[in-house]
Amino acid sequence: MRILVTRPALDQDQTCKALRALGIEPLSAPVMVAEALDFSLPEQSWQAVVVTSRNGLRMLERAQVAQLGQRPLYCVGTKTESLARALGFQTIEMRAPDLADLTPALVSRLAPQGGPILYLTGRHRTGSLKDTLEAAGLSVAQVETYVMVASKALPDDICDAIGQGAIDGVLLYSKRSSQLFLSIAREHGLEAKLGGLTFYCLSPAIATLIEDAGYPLVVADAPNEKSLLASLKKGRNYLIQ
């Protein structure tokens, strides 16, 4: 089995390693790359720092890490937690498997009178965490530290493999990556070949785009990579209700 990984290059190592452990050959075709934005951090006594992606931390300068490192950190994913510890964050208050688990925990654990919350995020986001927290009476400073820039093309060897029917499926981690992959593949004249792939989607929202296009798809039981990779073994099609 050969599976295409569309994640940004900096995030692919863990996925490719996990695929090989399952006896699956990973192929790389990032459809986005993370680029740092010009940003500054307000001088505040933060009640907490919230990060939902490693990229939110990757773009911090050393002085900014020193500024935030003593604040309680709430994050999504084990890799984000590991990076935070490596950078010097002292207190990982919570590491959630996904945003759906993190959001209610923030609402229940943080207090409106406890001070503002710093949310480090990208320009393109899934969901509305800031709005949800503010609706609960919390004060949130949302700082965009990076932007995901679309790739302009797929590698030649990947185009050849898709054209020859030599790839079994594609992993899709976001609605935007799904849109970009479909668009780039079609620009390469590969649209007629996409029906021969199975699209493994992290969530139903991502799957909607694939279903609309009429391609075979499978959706993870939960919106995290462990569940997504498990769906490769299940190999069942998912129909959106």
Side-chain angles (χ1 to χ4, degrees), residues 22-148:
L22 294 172
I24 297 169
E25 180 184 353
L27 300 173
S28 174
V31 296
M32 292 184 285
V33 60
E35 293 187 0
L37 293 172
D38 184 14
F39 67 93
S40 60
L41 300 179
E43 289 287 346
Q44 293 278 357
S45 179
W46 302 109
Q47 176 179 183
V49 178
V50 177
V51 184
T52 56
S53 165
R54 277 180 288 175
N55 289 318
L57 296 176
R58 282 179 176 137
M59 307 310 175
L60 295 176
E61 297 178 355
R62 184 173 299 179
Q64 292 171 325
V65 172
Q67 180 183 347
L68 302 177
Q70 301 300 316
R71 299 292 91 202
L73 179 72
Y74 292 77
C75 66
V76 171
T78 56
K79 294 297 182 180
T80 304
E81 178 185 10
S82 297
L83 177 58
R85 293 189 186 281
L87 289 173
F89 280 84
Q90 300 299 309
T91 304
I92 310 300
E93 193 69 28
M94 180 183 182
R95 184 260 300 158
D98 51 56
L99 184 59
D101 283 337
L102 181 67
T103 303
L106 291 172
V107 172
S108 65
R109 294 188 185 190
L110 302 178
Q113 66 272 23
I117 299 158
L118 177 63
Y119 175 29
L120 302 176
T121 186
R123 179 163 291 169
H124 302 98
R125 294 175 293 279
T126 299
S128 53
L129 179 59
K130 182 176 186 289
D131 292 344
T132 301
L133 297 181
E134 289 182 337
L138 297 163
S139 174
V140 181
Q142 182 171 276
V143 176
E144 296 177 351
T145 68
Y146 68 97
V147 61
M148 300 304 299

Side-chain angles (χ1 to χ4, degrees), residues 201-204 218-224 227-228 230-231 234 236 238:
C201 306
L202 193 68
S203 73
V218 174
V219 174
D221 291 329
N224 56 64
S227 182
L228 179 62
S231 73
K234 294 180 181 179
R236 60 179 173 79
Y238 174 96

Side-chain angles (χ1 to χ4, degrees), residues 3-8 11-19 27 29 31-32 54 126 170-179 181 199-207 210 218 220 222-232:
I3 293 293
L4 193 62
V5 183
T6 59
R7 303 187 79 182
D11 297 322
Q12 286 209 7
D13 285 351
Q14 69 180 72
T15 303
C16 293
K17 182 178 179 180
L19 287 172
L27 300 173
V31 296
M32 292 184 285
R54 277 180 288 175
T126 299
V170 182
L171 296 181
L172 296 173
Y173 286 77
S174 71
K175 193 169 183 178
R176 186 164 180 243
S177 65
S178 177
Q179 292 170 328
F181 178 79
F199 292 82
Y200 296 90
C201 306
L202 193 68
S203 73
I206 300 168
I210 305 303
V218 174
N224 56 64
E225 185 170 75
K226 181 179 179 180
S227 182
L228 179 62
L229 296 183
S231 73
L232 290 168

